[in-house]
Amino acid sequence: MEKIHNLVIVGAGPAGIATAVESYILGIRDIVVLEKDENHNATIRKYYKENKRVDKDWKGQKVELDGNIYFMDGTKESTLDFFDEIIAYHSVELRTHTEVQKILKKEGHFDVMIPGGSIKARYVVVTIGRMGKPNKPDYKIPPSIRKRVNYTLDECSEGEKVLVVGGGDSAVEYAVDLAEKNSVTICYRRETFRRANPTNQTAIANAIAHGEVRPYLGVNIEGLEEDNGKVRVLFSEREAETFDRIVYAIGGTTPSAFLQGSGIRIEEGKPVHDENYMTDVPGLYVAGDITQESGGSIALGLNHGYAIAQHIMEHMKVCEGCKQSIVK
């Protein structure tokens, strides 16, 4: 018979890792974490610039940690090192390059569908983040310039004329970072960068004051066109302008199609769950920023993992005959 794992976790961000670690500490074994990218915490790796501050109290949200993972303020690098250590110390089985297509409820277990087959589990926790599906503009992007339209800084090089679109922390950080070796303009539909944290508001104000970043505030984009291999941007409130590259930093979207396809109800753009983060499907949980209004808080994700582990342990029926296979 095909093996049934006690717990499968979809997504290796803070909430997913916390669920695995807290469950392991409680004595649950046979836990698998599935991650579609090449390593854990893909959002931090892709969307955080080098040496970016990572605060426990994200956007001023003061969160008391409930579980066994003691997370402190740090940088992108120290945060990734921290999660490397706890994954190794608690023997977390992490399977990367494994994208989950759907979760099916069966009699007594779940089938977690992956390319070429499925993984069976008694309990499943979905902790995929919004940034796994970054927001894209409503207007069409011509195929000929798609390589010049990005959502991270991975493709950026030096000496380019770059337009950054957005007004949150990521957009501001991208603009300030790129301005060191590029000609940068930041375009935001509002008049101020009030969504950004105070540190980033100061940084962008300084960059603008010193002429390092041009601000196009209160400006909307109507569309993009090709201009000799470059990106011609059509603005509503000003003349069109051509850039070497455009970087969108306009947030992420709840992966509603995947969640609904797995039987998870969506209301007001978020998955429905109870106080234990269990969905309408018994044994199927959600955690992390897809459950949060603004998303992004690592501390809240860690607390979600702790609460879910406690709830699973309380409801895991362990008979004498199968005890060794569940708690070893």
Side-chain angles (χ1 to χ4, degrees), residues 28-197:
I28 300 172
R29 297 294 183 266
D30 200 5
I31 303 167
V32 179
V33 181
L34 306 178
E35 171 57 50
K36 71 175 183 178
D37 281 286
E38 63 184 12
N39 212 332
H40 63 83
N41 285 295
T43 294
I44 294 177
R45 295 178 193 276
K46 291 181 180 179
Y47 297 97
Y48 286 28
K49 67 177 185 178
E50 300 305 311
N51 297 311
K52 171 181 166 61
R53 281 186 55 81
V54 180
D55 296 326
K56 171 182 164 291
D57 297 326
W58 188 76
K59 287 190 175 180
Q61 288 181 289
K62 294 193 178 297
V63 178
E64 295 298 324
L65 294 171
D66 298 328
N68 297 284
I69 300 175
Y70 186 65
F71 178 73
M72 299 185 296
D73 296 346
T75 64
K76 170 184 177 177
E77 291 76 15
S78 67
T79 299
L80 293 175
D81 288 344
F82 172 78
F83 282 108
D84 277 337
E85 291 173 6
I86 64 173
I87 286 172
Y89 185 79
H90 295 285
S91 303
V92 174
E93 182 181 346
L94 174 60
R95 298 186 190 178
T96 58
H97 300 290
T98 306
E99 184 169 6
V100 175
Q101 300 167 324
K102 185 183 290 187
I103 301 165
L104 302 176
K105 177 70 173 179
K106 299 292 185 177
E107 185 66 33
H109 72 276
F110 293 93
D111 276 348
V112 181
M113 308 304 297
I114 60 175
S118 69
I119 300 173
K120 299 185 183 301
R122 293 183 173 86
Y123 298 89
V124 177
V125 184
V126 177
T127 69
I128 52 179
R130 286 191 175 96
M131 291 312 295
K133 186 180 180 184
N135 284 330
K136 298 183 179 180
D138 295 332
Y139 40 85
K140 292 184 178 180
I141 300 172
S144 58
I145 57 173
R146 283 178 183 165
K147 288 185 177 180
R148 291 183 175 269
V149 178
N150 309 123
Y151 302 89
T152 71
L153 302 187
D154 291 348
E155 303 301 320
C156 297
S157 56
E158 297 180 13
E160 293 185 320
K161 182 181 178 184
V162 183
L163 178 68
V164 177
V165 182
D169 288 312
S170 292
V172 168
E173 289 169 4
Y174 287 174
V176 172
D177 190 42
L178 287 169
E180 294 180 6
K181 298 179 180 179
N182 298 274
S183 172
V184 177
T185 301
I186 186 167
C187 178
Y188 187 39
R189 57 191 174 87
R190 301 191 185 279
E191 297 289 345
T192 65
F193 297 103
R194 61 187 180 187
R195 285 179 52 218
N197 65 44

Side-chain angles (χ1 to χ4, degrees), residues 188-291:
Y188 187 39
R189 57 191 174 87
R190 301 191 185 279
E191 297 289 345
T192 65
F193 297 103
R194 61 187 180 187
R195 285 179 52 218
N197 65 44
T199 300
N200 283 330
Q201 288 185 33
T202 300
I204 192 66
N206 288 337
I208 292 171
H210 289 90
E212 298 165 356
V213 175
R214 291 190 303 165
Y216 286 179
L217 299 178
V219 174
N220 292 279
I221 298 175
E222 292 184 336
L224 307 180
E225 296 177 346
E226 182 188 358
D227 183 5
N228 293 319
K230 297 184 179 182
V231 184
R232 181 175 170 82
V233 182
L234 308 177
F235 298 104
S236 300
E237 293 79 11
R238 60 184 302 122
E239 292 294 321
E241 187 173 348
T242 298
F243 296 84
D244 295 314
R245 188 173 305 281
I246 182 167
V247 179
Y248 288 95
I250 51 179
T253 303
T254 299
S256 299
F258 167 76
L259 296 174
Q260 291 174 324
S262 299
I264 299 174
R265 185 160 50 99
I266 303 292
E267 288 186 1
E268 299 180 356
K270 295 190 303 179
V272 176
H273 59 82
D274 63 16
E275 66 275 11
N276 299 302
Y277 303 98
M278 188 164 70
T279 67
D280 294 340
V281 183
L284 179 58
Y285 299 77
V286 288
D289 67 359
I290 57 171
T291 70

Side-chain angles (χ1 to χ4, degrees), residues 15 19 276-277 286-289 291-292 299-309:
T19 304
N276 299 302
Y277 303 98
V286 288
D289 67 359
T291 70
Q292 302 173 37
L300 282 177
L302 298 180
N303 282 352
H304 293 172
Y306 175 74
I308 291 170

